[in-house]
Amino acid sequence: MGDRMRRILLVLAVVAVGSMGVVTAATAAGRGPADSGGGPLAILGPKAAITYTPAAEATAVDPRTTASVAVADGTFDQVSLVDPAGKAVKGTLAADRASWSTSAPLAYGATYSWKGTATGTDGKQVPLAGGFSTVTPAKQVRGTVNIGDGRTVGIAAPIAIQFNGHVDDRAAVERALSVTTSVPTEGAWGWLPDESGGSRVHWRPKEYWKPGTKVTVKAKLFGVPYGGGAYGAADVSSSFTIGRAQVVKADVNSFQMVVMRDGKQVASYPASYGLGSDPNRNTRSGIHVVSEKFTDKRMVSEQYGYDVVEKWAVRISNNGEFIHANPASTGAQGSSNVTHGCVNLSIDNAKAYYDTAIYGDPVEVTGTPVQLSAKDGDIWDWTLSWSQWKALSAL
């Protein structure tokens, strides 16, 4: 082979190697025979992964649960939770569109379904699916707060929640109760024996309320398991105000009924209390609480043989004790005790007191050997010491 031929072959070899390098580089850059369009290859990510709370097909779910759905490696296009009637539950979609949660309570005994889609980083849509069902109570028990919104009450007023059925799990209920006050006030819940067809719980301050205190009570009872298959029917709440500090000082041996208001005596009325020689007719000693009042009240006793209507009657316990007018005992008022347990005043004095009395005013009776107690019913909260009262809490 001559020198000229060797030089030609060398040039052809160099050209061939260079061409192969170009092809290899083009393939490494994502261009080649497999890419007929000549553009960059798409890099595909994972598909959308959806998680549900409560878990899919969960049953007996607490209706207080916040239901939510979240997506990883994607975002939601549309999302909703619908009830059996197809109505959407109120909810909120996060700003990054990666989660959604309910903002309204669920209902008892309902099946909820997820609707909507999410798009993953692979560009494909994934539908939401499945759902869950909430618990169905064997019985729903309702609670009622004794003090209505906007009322003004006396300084001894207890907060009472009366249930229309029995509560087994009192601790669960008590955890759902709260009392907030505008003035720091120490107090506690206490469970009293069932009455009026159901359980009852009272909140009592350690000492009398401070006048002017703003009070809010909240009972988040919906969804609370009461035990025995019973659940709370609905939340209840109330906001009210403590009024002036009016206290009746009722010393039975003074034959007077003294009215104190904000620490000052505003009235002293000649009175007749229960007959001391008959324990059944003694006016009970202890802190009574004004609970209701009547312009005219029929009073009946088979034991003592009377059936009368008395005016300006203010109930101070549930055992039949009232402060009321009684013209029949006018001669004894201010000098002797002859009543059947009530506090008797003249018509004018009874009317004057009646006009000032409000629910929750304390009436402090002293001087008799018979004490107000639980057997007298209704409001006997103040007959207990603070330590005794706290022992009535389920917590």
Side-chain angles (χ1 to χ4, degrees), residues 156 208 246-250 257-258 273 283-291 314-317 322-323 343 353 357-358 360-366 372:
Y208 289 157
Q246 178 160 299
V247 182
V248 168
K249 301 288 187 178
M257 192 188 88
V258 177
Y273 296 89
T283 306
R284 272 53 178 156
S285 287
I287 299 175
H288 299 60
V289 178
V290 170
S291 57
V314 177
R315 185 189 294 277
I316 59 173
S317 79
F322 289 81
I323 299 170
V343 184
Y353 170 68
I358 61 174
D361 283 344
V363 177
E364 300 175 352
V365 178
T366 56
L372 187 71

Side-chain angles (χ1 to χ4, degrees), residues 24-59:
T24 302
T27 302
R31 299 186 302 275
D35 183 3
S36 60
L41 288 173
I43 301 176
L44 303 180
K47 67 181 293 186
I50 300 173
T51 56
Y52 303 94
T53 303
E57 309 311 322
T59 59

Side-chain angles (χ1 to χ4, degrees), residues 270-336:
S272 181
Y273 296 89
L275 181 67
S277 60
D278 184 347
N280 291 326
R281 291 175 60 174
N282 278 195
T283 306
R284 272 53 178 156
S285 287
I287 299 175
H288 299 60
V289 178
V290 170
S291 57
E292 55 185 342
K293 58 185 188 177
F294 309 85
T295 57
D296 298 274
K297 177 64 177 175
R298 184 185 180 192
M299 300 183 179
V300 180
S301 172
E302 293 183 2
Q303 180 180 2
Y304 293 103
Y306 63 79
D307 184 345
V308 294
V309 175
E310 302 289 14
K311 295 194 67 66
W312 314 120
V314 177
R315 185 189 294 277
I316 59 173
S317 79
N318 209 35
N319 63 2
E321 291 176 317
F322 289 81
I323 299 170
H324 66 87
N326 188 358
S329 67
T330 300
Q333 293 167 19
S335 59
S336 61

Side-chain angles (χ1 to χ4, degrees), residues 21 32 44 85 121-123 159 174 177 193 237 260 272 275 301 338 393:
L44 303 180
T121 52
D122 63 353
I159 300 167
E174 198 170 324
L177 309 178
S237 64
M260 306 292 294
S272 181
L275 181 67
S301 172
V338 300
S393 168

Side-chain angles (χ1 to χ4, degrees), residues 152-232:
T152 297
V153 299
I155 58 173
I159 300 167
I161 299 178
Q162 176 69 53
F163 297 91
N164 67 346
H166 180 70
V167 173
D168 282 326
D169 193 344
R170 294 178 171 185
V173 170
E174 198 170 324
R175 291 189 193 98
L177 309 178
S178 67
V179 175
T180 56
T181 60
S182 62
V183 176
T185 305
E186 183 178 359
W189 292 101
W191 291 86
L192 306 181
D194 283 18
E195 190 174 82
S196 301
S199 297
R200 56 182 176 144
V201 61
H202 288 195
W203 193 94
R204 197 204 92 181
K206 180 180 180 180
E207 308 291 345
Y208 289 157
W209 295 99
K210 292 181 180 178
T213 300
K214 306 292 185 183
V215 184
T216 297
V217 55
K218 293 183 179 180
K220 305 289 285 184
L221 299 173
F222 175 76
V224 175
Y226 289 179
Y231 284 77

